[in-house]
Amino acid sequence: MTDTLVPRGCRAARQAEGSYFRKGCNPLAETGRSKLQNQRAALNQQILKAVRLRTGAENLLRATTNNKVREQALLELSFVNSDLQILKEELEGLNISVEVYQNTEETFSIPLIPLGLKETKEGDLTIPLKDFILEHYSEDSSDYEDEIADLMDLRQACRTPSRDESGIEMLMSYFIQLGFVENRFFPPTRHMGILFTWYDSFTGVPVCQQNLLLEKASILFNIGALYTQIGTRCNRQTKPGLENAVDAFQRAAGILNYLKETFTHTPSYDMSPAMLSVLVKMMLAQAQECVFEQISLPGIRNEFFTLVKMAQEVAKVGEVYTLVHTAMNQAPVKANVPYTWSNMAKIKSDHYKALAHYFVATLLSDHQLHPSDDEDKQEKAWSQLHDYMPEGLTSLAILRDKVQRKRLGKAHLRKAIVYHEEALRVCGLCKKLRNIDILQEILSVAHKRSLTKYAQHEQEDDFLSLMEASTVLPKTEHKVEMIVPQFSKVKVKDFFERLGPLPVFSAKQRWTGPRTINFHYQERGLGFTLKGGPPVQVHCLDPECSAALKGLKEGDYIVSINGLDSKWLGVNDVLEKFKSMGENEIEIKVISCQDTMTSVHNKSATYSVGMQKTYSLICLAMEEDKINETKKATPKLSFLSWGTKNRQKAASTLCLPYTVAGSSETKKKLDSRLTVLNIESSLY
């Protein structure tokens, strides 16, 4: 089922014009993408179970001094670590199932790499939000059940967005809506008791936080992931399809870069700055690849200047994939980037470099410099292809000398064949890529084409030719760049706007309960003036007027007039209502601002004052006072190694409750049964 709009009136009698809630794709639909997401969700649960078993064994090993118990704990750790390694490999297999996301029509294009959506647990915000509305805003929380239900419907729909622009718009709407919710319901001085859980896209390890930062960051990641899936789905055999693919990957890079720069302490490993930098490079490389395909779509004419241009364009694609492959093999991301992704970047780097050398060889062997040709123009174009020339030769000399052109052309063909063979070798070493028929076919066809071209010019004395082909310099006339996300273009209505204007009625402001004031409109006026708005504020209050005598204070906000909400009314509207009452008694409800809550550092599940950042499973231990420096745990090495290179990573962060000698009982209160262990992170 595609993204649909359903009128809110089907749920409640109260209807608002233009209001709606959204539904995502049917999670039970038997599509290839939904099957992958369901498998990912199941694997995440298995990984969570294994991590908990590992944590229990680690804690037992630390606590016991009995040798037999230690042996049993070590044996359990060995088994659990092996199980986790198998589960991690299965999750990696899902991440490299690139063929599922490709266009369904027959194409002759190398597959592109999409990102899978992050999974989350279902959560119910109803009770915490209703309690906060009653406590903080002093309003009947039952009046906001529809708004809370709309928010929950939108969150549920965002778990299965449709793979099109409507899915992107829905995710962006929820992201913006989270900004409203954060300002209205999440005070900076305390937590709401709502635990948000999201699973790492690469490791499957769950991450928990009691604030909205994780939720917002994960939604941004899924927006970027959805853009990559849209890009891979485009038909790359048509010009509009390639244009859409380039746009999608540029937007994906923009979203992921925005996530990296905005949420600097994201706890999930797949959203760490190092990993996001790699993903941004990969998306821009795929966009550059689609640009080359777009240029070559009408066909490549066997003409000197056309071949020069194509050689430089395709060399640019090879260059950006070389940078991607290098970034993927750098610590700390190397351990968690899927092995097939790294191999695919290497294959594309070699394949497109080989094409660049093939184009150069073709322009040298198939074209000769004729008297009617523009020597200066050809010499300038040729000199831009190389950073150096063979010793004793110049660009013009090579162009004029038929023998030298042929020798250099064969040298470029030899280099092209070497790159083609390396691409085929790397592809053959990877089981997953070896099973992608279209990839094998494209690499084989390009290799045979270069071999055929070389055979046409092969001679018996070729062993005497020692000329070396130089690297083809990359250059593009269509440089791809990140497209910065424009959230302002998505029009979103605050679900809880009935609470009042957000700058005034927010979680940062503390209010008194509404007070009822009854007074009459006197001949000399109200006895006070109004300012600001909405909502309007009492100003220049006469202490002798009837309203002041009934309890009205300077600076009070008027929120109700004769039982009608006035939080969104301006000064003129309120004065009109007062005048319309004539000599009748006026009843208003006012509130007073107590103070503004000072912002403190968020004691999130993964980063708080005096604690290190970490990228593994963490559940929050809330304490009212600052963390005592003596509570810091000594960093310990983990028994888990995702791979042979990971033995220095931090220990598990999911631990049983612990207490510290000498601590007061109030400092031992925990809002959950789990506590935070201060450890070192391999990323920082």
Side-chain angles (χ1 to χ4, degrees):
M1 180 176 63
T2 57
D3 186 70
T4 57
L5 301 182
V6 183
R8 179 190 289 177
C10 65
R11 188 196 302 121
R14 183 183 60 81
Q15 298 185 21
E17 185 176 353
S19 62
Y20 59 86
F21 66 90
R22 297 172 181 242
K23 289 188 177 180
C25 293
N26 185 357
L28 301 179
E30 290 297 317
T31 64
R33 190 174 67 121
S34 65
K35 289 179 180 179
L36 279 183
Q37 287 298 132
N38 290 336
Q39 292 175 29
R40 183 187 295 275
L43 275 177
N44 288 337
Q45 294 300 320
Q46 295 179 48
I47 290 174
L48 175 59
K49 181 179 178 181
V51 167
R52 287 173 174 170
L53 289 173
R54 182 199 67 181
T55 303
E58 286 179 343
N59 289 339
L60 179 60
L61 188 63
R62 295 189 189 104
T64 186
T65 57
N66 187 297
N67 289 334
K68 285 190 175 181
V69 175
R70 290 182 62 84
E71 289 179 2
Q72 292 178 352
L74 287 171
L75 182 62
E76 179 68 19
L77 278 173
S78 176
F79 170 77
V80 173
N81 288 340
S82 299
D83 190 27
L84 277 170
Q85 183 65 32
I86 294 173
L87 292 173
K88 193 249 182 181
E89 291 174 358
E90 291 183 19
L91 185 61
E92 181 178 312
L94 297 183
N95 286 326
I96 61 181
S97 300
V98 295
E99 66 276 5
V100 175
Y101 296 95
Q102 309 302 311
N103 186 268
T104 55
E105 300 180 15
E106 291 188 7
T107 60
F108 198 71
S109 304
I110 298 179
L112 299 171
I113 299 176
L115 298 177
L117 299 178
K118 289 175 68 69
E119 290 285 335
T120 183
K121 284 185 176 181
E122 291 188 12
D124 190 1
L125 310 181
T126 304
I127 294 178
L129 294 187
K130 290 179 71 173
D131 289 346
F132 193 82
I133 290 173
L134 179 61
E135 170 202 342
H136 187 78
Y137 294 102
S138 301
E139 295 202 28
D140 187 354
S141 57
S142 62
D143 293 341
Y144 292 88
E145 289 180 351
D146 286 341
E147 285 84 351
I148 296 174
D150 283 351
L151 179 65
M152 298 308 302
D153 287 338
L154 184 56
R155 185 182 192 273
Q156 182 66 22
C158 286
R159 299 180 66 187
T160 56
S162 58
R163 195 165 34 146
D164 50 29
E165 285 299 324
S166 61
I168 294 292
E169 183 183 355
M170 182 176 64
L171 288 175
M172 285 190 171
S173 299
Y174 182 55
F175 176 76
I176 298 172
Q177 197 68 239
L178 287 176
F180 295 140
V181 172
E182 183 178 26
N183 287 327
R184 289 198 184 276
F185 298 105
F186 287 79
T189 55
R190 65 184 179 90
H191 288 285
M192 287 285 292
I194 303 173
L195 192 65
F196 296 97
T197 302
W198 286 83
Y199 293 90
D200 192 291
S201 181
F202 297 113
T203 66
V205 175
V207 178
C208 306
Q209 276 193 352
Q210 289 204 28
N211 59 43
L212 277 178
L213 296 181
L214 176 63
E215 183 91 351
K216 294 170 72 175
S218 298
I219 290 297
L220 279 179
F221 184 92
N222 277 358
I223 294 173
L226 198 56
Y227 269 128
T228 67
Q229 295 180 16
I230 292 174
T232 56
R233 189 185 188 185
C234 293
N235 185 359
R236 291 153 63 198
Q237 302 302 309
T238 64
K239 184 178 179 180
L242 285 168
E243 289 176 350
N244 292 335
V246 172
D247 180 75
F249 285 117
Q250 287 178 304
R251 293 184 183 278
I255 285 286
L256 295 174
N257 188 67
Y258 176 82
L259 172 58
K260 182 186 72 171
E261 294 180 349
T262 307
F263 296 86
T264 56
H265 299 304
T266 47
S268 184
Y269 197 94
D270 53 0
M271 297 188 293
S272 66
M275 181 63 77
L276 289 175
S277 296
V278 172
L279 296 180
V280 169
K281 287 185 175 69
M282 185 172 73
M283 297 312 139
L284 291 177
Q286 296 190 137
Q288 193 71 56
E289 181 182 3
C290 292
V291 166
F292 169 72
E293 292 178 348
Q294 187 177 350
I295 297 171
S296 59
L297 183 63
I300 302 174
R301 291 189 300 117
N302 194 354
E303 188 265 334
F304 184 89
F305 295 104
T306 301
L307 291 172
V308 169
K309 176 184 176 182
M310 298 307 298
Q312 291 181 310
E313 288 283 353
V314 75
K316 181 64 178 179
V317 181
E319 179 190 48
V320 293
Y321 271 114
T322 300
L323 296 176
V324 171
H325 179 256
T326 302
M328 287 182 173
N329 284 276
Q330 298 293 323
V333 299
K334 181 180 179 180
N336 288 303
V337 169
Y339 175 68
T340 305
W341 286 14
S342 178
N343 280 352
M344 180 69 88
K346 174 63 174 171
I347 289 170
K348 290 188 176 185
S349 172
D350 291 335
H351 174 70
Y352 288 116
K353 287 178 181 178
L355 289 183
H357 285 285
Y358 176 81
F359 288 143
V360 174
T362 302
L363 71 87
L364 286 171
S365 60
D366 291 3
H367 299 277
Q368 302 298 327
L369 187 61
H370 300 289
S372 59
D373 294 335
D374 188 340
E375 285 188 357
D376 293 339
K377 188 176 180 181
Q378 286 201 13
E379 181 186 9
K380 182 179 179 181
W382 173 255
S383 62
Q384 293 176 350
L385 277 174
H386 305 90
D387 53 357
Y388 74 93
M389 296 300 298
E391 186 177 355
L393 296 175
T394 63
S395 297
L396 189 57
I398 290 177
L399 293 176
R400 287 176 176 176
D401 192 331
K402 183 177 180 180
V403 175
Q404 295 294 345
R405 288 178 70 117
K406 183 177 179 180
R407 286 183 178 178
L408 187 56
K410 291 171 68 175
H412 278 284
L413 280 174
R414 286 195 295 270
K415 205 159 189 178
I417 292 171
V418 170
Y419 278 124
H420 281 310
E421 290 176 347
E422 178 64 12
L424 285 167
R425 184 190 70 83
V426 175
C427 186
L429 291 176
C430 182
K431 180 180 178 182
K432 190 68 179 180
L433 296 180
R434 199 165 57 232
N435 295 330
I436 302 179
D437 296 334
I438 188 64
L439 177 61
Q440 288 277 3
E441 185 178 356
I442 291 174
L443 297 179
S444 299
V445 168
H447 182 225
K448 291 177 182 177
R449 182 175 56 199
S450 295
L451 288 174
T452 302
K453 190 78 172 177
Y454 187 82
Q456 293 174 358
H457 302 280
E458 189 174 14
Q459 295 180 355
E460 293 182 359
D461 60 347
D462 275 349
F463 64 90
L464 297 176
S465 177
L466 302 177
M467 187 175 291
E468 180 71 20
S470 61
T471 302
V472 180
L473 294 180
K475 181 183 177 181
T476 180
E477 298 177 359
H478 309 273
K479 185 178 180 181
V480 297
E481 295 180 345
M482 294 178 290
I483 298 179
V484 179
Q486 297 178 325
F487 297 106
S488 59
K489 289 188 175 181
V490 181
K491 303 302 180 183
V492 178
K493 184 179 180 181
D494 182 6
F495 284 155
F496 300 93
E497 67 175 358
R498 289 196 297 131
L499 289 173
L502 188 56
V504 177
F505 296 94
S506 68
K508 294 180 181 179
Q509 304 281 356
R510 297 183 62 184
W511 305 95
T512 62
R515 308 191 312 276
T516 302
I517 307 294
N518 295 291
F519 66 97
H520 289 83
Y521 195 97
Q522 301 174 348
E523 293 183 0
R524 58 178 181 173
L526 294 171
F528 57 87
T529 59
L530 302 175
K531 70 173 184 177
V536 297
Q537 194 173 10
V538 175
H539 185 57
C540 296
L541 178 65
D542 181 0
E544 300 299 326
C545 70
S546 61
L549 295 176
K550 292 295 182 66
L552 189 64
K553 298 178 182 178
E554 180 90 11
D556 282 350
Y557 288 91
I558 301 177
V559 296
S560 175
I561 303 175
N562 289 339
L564 298 177
D565 187 274
S566 63
K567 290 193 286 288
W568 285 96
L569 298 182
V571 173
N572 293 334
D573 296 327
V574 172
L575 290 177
E576 286 293 328
K577 286 189 174 294
F578 285 164
K579 292 179 181 179
S580 65
M581 297 300 296
E583 297 180 356
N584 296 326
E585 186 179 59
I586 303 174
E587 180 184 279
I588 62 173
K589 288 186 178 180
V590 297
I591 57 175
S592 301
C593 181
Q594 292 182 328
D595 57 21
T596 301
M597 297 184 183
T598 56
S599 179
V600 297
H601 190 92
N602 275 324
K603 291 197 291 184
S604 66
T606 55
Y607 182 60
S608 62
V609 177
M611 294 181 59
Q612 298 288 335
K613 289 162 279 189
T614 179
Y615 288 89
S616 50
L617 175 63
I618 302 175
C619 290
L620 179 67
M622 277 183 51
E623 300 181 17
E624 295 302 325
D625 300 325
K626 286 186 176 180
I627 297 176
N628 194 323
E629 292 296 329
T630 61
K631 288 188 178 183
K632 289 186 177 179
T634 304
K636 296 185 179 181
L637 295 179
S638 172
F639 287 90
L640 171 65
S641 291
W642 286 123
T644 56
K645 303 290 185 181
N646 259 5
R647 301 192 183 279
Q648 299 302 319
K649 287 210 169 178
S652 167
T653 52
L654 177 63
C655 304
L656 296 175
Y658 69 93
T659 58
V660 180
S663 297
S664 64
E665 290 299 321
T666 58
K667 291 189 177 181
K668 294 178 183 178
K669 283 188 178 180
L670 297 177
D671 281 353
S672 66
R673 291 175 292 177
L674 302 173
T675 63
V676 178
L677 177 63
N678 182 16
I679 65 166
E680 296 291 341
S681 169
S682 61
L683 282 182
Y684 289 87

